[in-house]
Amino acid sequence: MNVLHPNPDRFVTDMLDGFVRSYPGLARLQGTQVVVRAQFDRKVGLVSGGGSGHEPAHAGYVGYGMLDAAVAGQIFTSPTPNEVLSAIRAVNQGFGVLLVIKNYTGDVMNFEMAAEMAQDEGIAVEKVIVADDVAVENSTFTIGRRGVAGTVFVHKIAGASAQRGDSLQEVKRIADKVAARVFSMGLALSPCTLPTTGKSSFELPAGQVEIGIGIHGEPGVRRGPIAPLAELVDTLISRIVEESSLGENDEVALMINGMGATPLGELSICARYATARLDDLGVKIYKSLVGEYMTSLNMAGFSVTVLKLDSELKSLLDAPAHAPAWR
Amino acid sequence: MNVEHVRAWLYGYRDRLTAVQGLLDELDNRIGDGDHGTNMLRGFRAACEHLGEAASPSEVLHKVSMGLLSTVGGASGPLYATAFLRMSQAWRGMEDISIKDLANGLNAALAGIQQRGGANVGDKTMVDVWAPATECISSDPTEHGVREASRAARQAALNTRQLVARRGRASYLGERSVGTCDPGSVSSAILFECLAITLVEGMEADPWTAQVL
């Protein structure tokens, strides 16, 4: 496959420059790879971030009612502690800062080191670790589940909580609640191409699908023949239902997320099958999102995310937000 | 080992990374995200830039740690940075590092890596290399022990091929991580090899890395 050849050394910096120039409400913290709101409100600050290559995550979720800063690392590589520390300092308005961290070894280590450094400076910092990927077994012997597209719901709901003036402890409580109730699983029909090396992240023979992928081009937990789309969607939903004990009359937010190279039309077809399956189970779909929220460069594939709602989460989900990638 | 030896060790390591960057990326591509070599080389190039200004072994390692912390990111950044920081702390105020001091520094570094990353021996991480290599030097703090550490490190890195990853990004592959050597173990083994080349008369780089793919 042919790809554009941006300068690999300037990929992230050029991307961020283009991004902030396109959205007037955003700015780049000078000398860093941190995207911030052009103006901060007097409230708890929200910072997230991670490796690049997941656009529109995370800079696309910086804005009113969502994140105050997004820290971008190199492609698929967690940002460094001093970059995260710069973001914490910038957004801290004296009400403390919540870090939204996806559960990947590098992200957790770098963000935790930054949190320790900020605490040394007297800034109150809390964290929420998102681990929504049910493809991975939860076990005390491993690092546990990955944080994937469900993180966007944490940005939205914790963001709304901070925006209405909740305390740091309250914003953290709500963020933890979302993290405990969000479940995702994805699959890929093709690997992604790393712009830094021009190489594919894995080889997938024709007619095969990689099930249980993460968002860094890492291979999935298993591989199988491409089944009809209805069956593939069913595989993902079944696992989510099993892990979340979803049942009749539960209310959910549903996200069908494209991995970067799957046409929106196909994502809508996925949504058709996913909603039909949830209807069959008697699960009520309160809100449905279809689009690209957390991608993996040019990977073809999609993920399904289900968030179990209650009245508290519904009102925060519905609260106004103005960030480039939230719709 | 004086400040010049410590610098020679790190410059030597940076130069080896230039040669094995593609190999480390390829290993990482098989069980991770394909950039371990790129990230390590970026980090050590930056970290080695200002080593000339450091006056003691401890200062050299402190500069390396800070350099890695601000340039590498990912999982290997904080892990290697923590290792060098702990070694730097263990050597504070010392001008000349005996092999016994070296062993103390390496033990502090290993403890730091385990504290930061939570891995144990057998999890298919850099700990699989650091633990036996550190043990070799601790139990035999002589040039011979340093040479044995290099050998043990290499063997341990090759042995990670048979292991199932339980930490880091490769752990998501479960059984499918078997058959590929852990990239962090390989980069660690090269660090121990470079240490031996610096300290042991007549020791030269071995082409063992050709066996890892």
Side-chain angles (χ1 to χ4, degrees):
Chain A
M1 183 171 139
N2 291 321
V3 293
L4 292 170
H5 288 283
N7 181 340
D9 296 332
R10 294 193 54 84
F11 188 99
V12 176
T13 194
D14 285 353
M15 171 184 82
L16 295 178
D17 281 343
F19 195 77
V20 298
R21 283 298 302 273
S22 310
Y23 299 99
L26 305 182
R28 189 162 165 190
L29 213 55
Q30 212 176 2
T32 71
Q33 295 187 165
V34 180
V35 172
V36 293
R37 287 177 66 184
Q39 281 186 322
F40 298 116
D41 296 322
R42 288 179 49 76
K43 65 173 190 68
V44 167
L46 241 70
V47 174
S48 189
S52 293
H54 308 306
E55 293 68 35
H58 290 276
Y61 303 110
V62 176
Y64 177 90
M66 292 189 81
L67 301 177
D68 296 284
V71 193
Q74 298 299 317
I75 289 173
F76 294 164
T77 300
S78 164
T80 59
N82 52 342
E83 290 269 322
V84 180
L85 179 61
S86 302
I88 295 172
R89 285 183 187 143
V91 308
N92 179 41
Q93 303 294 306
F95 302 91
V97 176
L98 180 76
L99 304 180
V100 183
I101 309 169
K102 298 192 298 306
N103 191 31
Y104 276 94
T105 309
D107 284 330
V108 172
M109 280 193 283
N110 286 285
F111 276 77
E112 282 184 347
M113 287 178 90
E116 288 164 20
M117 290 151 97
Q119 283 155 354
D120 281 348
E121 296 179 6
I123 303 174
V125 181
E126 290 286 357
K127 66 183 183 202
V128 53
I129 294 182
V130 188
D132 55 318
D133 183 5
V134 298
V136 180
E137 288 293 339
N138 238 347
S139 146
T140 50
F141 299 108
T142 67
I143 52 177
R145 291 180 169 155
R146 299 174 281 216
V148 291
T151 310
V152 176
F153 282 125
V154 180
H155 295 344
K156 173 65 190 75
I157 292 174
S161 163
Q163 196 67 57
R164 74 182 178 190
D166 289 350
S167 70
L168 179 58
Q169 290 312 318
E170 178 67 359
V171 178
K172 174 179 163 50
R173 180 189 68 79
I174 285 168
D176 281 334
K177 181 174 172 180
V178 177
R181 297 165 72 109
V182 68
F183 305 88
S184 301
M185 186 157 162
L187 59 79
L189 299 156
S190 76
C192 53
T193 318
L194 292 164
T196 39
T197 62
K199 285 187 180 169
S200 289
S201 55
F202 54 84
E203 298 299 326
L204 194 56
Q208 296 274 298
V209 58
E210 191 82 27
I211 295 175
I213 43 130
I215 52 172
H216 300 88
E218 63 267 46
V221 293
R222 67 189 165 87
R223 183 172 284 186
I226 299 181
L229 192 47
E231 270 176 49
L232 290 176
V233 170
D234 204 50
T235 301
L236 303 185
I237 298 256
S238 297
R239 176 84 183 151
I240 289 170
V241 166
E242 190 184 322
E243 288 298 317
S244 61
S245 15
L246 261 190
E248 217 171 333
N249 295 323
D250 278 334
E251 279 189 278
V252 299
L254 172 69
M255 176 189 285
I256 306 295
N257 170 55
M259 300 308 294
T262 296
L264 286 170
E266 288 182 24
L267 296 180
S268 289
I269 298 172
C270 296
R272 180 211 182 274
Y273 290 123
T275 51
R277 179 69 205 280
L278 292 173
D279 287 346
D280 287 346
L281 293 166
V283 173
K284 292 181 186 150
I285 300 165
Y286 180 75
K287 186 178 180 72
S288 189
L289 302 168
V290 179
E292 289 182 339
Y293 290 89
M294 181 84 73
T295 60
S296 188
L297 293 171
N298 63 342
M299 179 180 270
F302 62 92
S303 65
V304 176
T305 297
V306 170
L307 168 66
K308 280 170 92 167
L309 294 167
D310 64 4
S311 57
E312 179 180 50
L313 299 187
K314 277 198 280 192
S315 70
L316 290 164
L317 185 59
D318 289 338
H322 309 291
W326 178 257
R327 53 195 181 270
Chain B
M1 186 157 67
N2 61 26
V3 64
E4 286 307 325
H5 290 120
V6 178
R7 267 198 280 266
W9 172 28
L10 295 160
Y11 291 150
Y13 187 53
R14 175 198 56 194
D15 295 345
R16 276 295 290 282
L17 285 174
T18 312
V20 297
Q21 178 204 345
L23 174 102
L24 294 174
D25 280 347
E26 174 55 28
L27 282 179
D28 194 25
N29 200 42
R30 293 183 188 178
I31 58 173
D33 61 356
D35 60 5
H36 184 58
T38 303
N39 288 339
M40 288 291 283
L41 183 58
R42 184 178 65 241
F44 275 86
R45 269 196 183 139
C48 284
E49 254 175 39
H50 304 292
L51 296 191
E53 301 156 16
S56 70
S58 175
E59 273 182 40
V60 169
L61 294 191
H62 192 267
K63 278 190 185 295
V64 168
S65 174
M66 293 302 123
L68 295 177
L69 208 53
S70 59
T71 51
V72 182
S76 41
L79 290 170
Y80 274 101
T82 301
F84 284 112
L85 187 63
R86 293 296 173 85
M87 230 185 298
S88 159
Q89 288 163 349
W91 294 353
R92 202 170 280 158
M94 298 181 184
E95 292 301 324
D96 207 50
I97 307 297
S98 70
I99 297 183
K100 213 167 177 162
D101 299 329
L102 172 63
N104 290 338
L106 290 171
N107 276 299
L110 172 60
I113 293 168
Q114 291 195 274
Q115 189 191 355
R116 182 63 62 197
N120 290 309
V121 170
D123 287 348
K124 195 168 183 145
T125 71
M126 63 198 288
V127 171
D128 290 334
V129 165
W130 279 75
T134 299
E135 175 55 28
C136 278
I137 302 178
S138 302
S139 61
D140 178 11
T142 64
E143 279 195 16
H144 178 262
V146 174
R147 184 191 281 268
E148 284 308 302
S150 168
R151 209 189 304 266
R154 171 198 316 179
Q155 196 52 51
L158 291 169
N159 288 348
T160 60
R161 191 195 304 272
Q162 280 86 49
L163 298 175
V164 177
R166 287 199 289 252
R167 295 271 153 186
R169 222 169 261 178
S171 67
Y172 305 124
L173 290 176
E175 296 288 334
R176 288 168 71 184
S177 64
V178 174
T180 302
C181 294
D182 169 50
S185 293
V186 175
S187 63
S188 293
I190 297 170
L191 183 66
F192 279 96
E193 187 181 14
C194 290
L195 177 66
I197 290 170
T198 309
L199 294 182
V200 181
E201 193 92 20
M203 174 112 183
E204 281 175 26
D206 189 289
W208 69 277
T209 47
Q211 301 169 47
V212 304
L213 282 182

